[in-house]
Amino acid sequence: MDTLSYKTISANKATVKKEWVVVDATGQSLGRISSKVAKLLRGKYKPDFTPHVDCGDNVIIINADKVVLTGKKWTDRIYLSYTGYPGGQRKTTPEELFKKGSDRLFRKAIKGMLPKNRLGDHILSNLHVYDGAEHKHEAQQPRFIDIKLLR
């Protein structure tokens, strides 16, 4: 029996194989699609996942303007931020974020599901969100995946 076969292999920046993936958000719930995209960005669906390395894929979300929020979440959910000054607490709703751009709503939802450190900030830069069905990353030859099939 060879004991070297039991060695744990950790991925690093040189050995990671990053792909480009397209996800369609038409009719999808914001939270459900965001959690699966966060796992794709982090690399948790890969067998060589390493927590301290960016081993996730580059994700392109198309048709982001057709995302669904159930109930009264468009108006009743509140996102709080603080400017740092006294009385500087600001409130926004998903509806206000969506008017500024649907990418802001997706980034807000997905950022909360990523690590709160420099790695999380770097992983979030691998996310590309577009309102229509067209995107400008055709040169990377992204593959289309059905997000409903992922767990």
Side-chain angles (χ1 to χ4, degrees):
M1 183 186 282
D2 186 14
T3 58
L4 292 178
S5 65
Y6 295 107
K7 227 182 212 186
T8 301
I9 299 172
S10 293
N12 59 26
K13 197 174 185 180
T15 60
V16 169
K17 293 179 176 60
K18 295 176 74 73
E19 297 178 349
W20 284 79
V21 176
V22 176
V23 174
D24 190 5
T26 305
Q28 300 282 330
S29 174
L30 176 67
R32 291 180 187 271
I33 192 171
S34 295
S35 65
K36 292 176 183 178
V37 167
K39 283 175 106 175
L40 277 171
L41 286 169
R42 187 90 198 273
K44 290 229 171 178
Y45 289 115
K46 294 187 176 185
D48 59 346
F49 169 70
T50 308
H52 64 279
V53 178
D54 176 18
C55 52
D57 296 331
N58 294 297
V59 179
I60 304 164
I61 298 177
I62 58 172
N63 295 321
D65 52 346
K66 296 180 179 130
V67 74
V68 176
L69 282 175
T70 58
K72 295 183 180 178
K73 290 179 194 156
W74 282 110
T75 55
D76 289 357
R77 177 173 284 171
I78 295 173
Y79 296 125
L80 296 174
S81 63
Y82 181 62
T83 62
Y85 290 96
Q89 188 176 27
R90 303 286 185 249
K91 297 178 183 178
T92 56
T93 62
E95 188 176 35
E96 293 169 3
L97 281 177
F98 193 75
K99 285 179 184 173
K100 292 180 182 177
S102 59
D103 62 324
R104 291 188 186 208
L105 183 61
F106 269 97
R107 287 189 184 281
K108 179 92 173 157
I110 293 171
K111 185 177 182 177
M113 300 176 189
L114 293 176
K116 278 61 172 182
N117 53 23
R118 286 180 292 182
L119 179 63
D121 296 338
H122 180 71
I123 289 173
L124 193 63
S125 68
N126 295 332
L127 177 67
H128 308 277
V129 183
Y130 297 99
D131 283 339
E134 299 297 320
H135 59 86
K136 61 180 182 179
H137 302 285
E138 291 297 329
Q140 282 75 24
Q141 299 166 347
R143 65 182 176 92
F144 184 83
I145 62 166
D146 188 11
I147 202 78
K148 293 178 185 176
L149 300 178
L150 297 176
R151 291 215 166 241

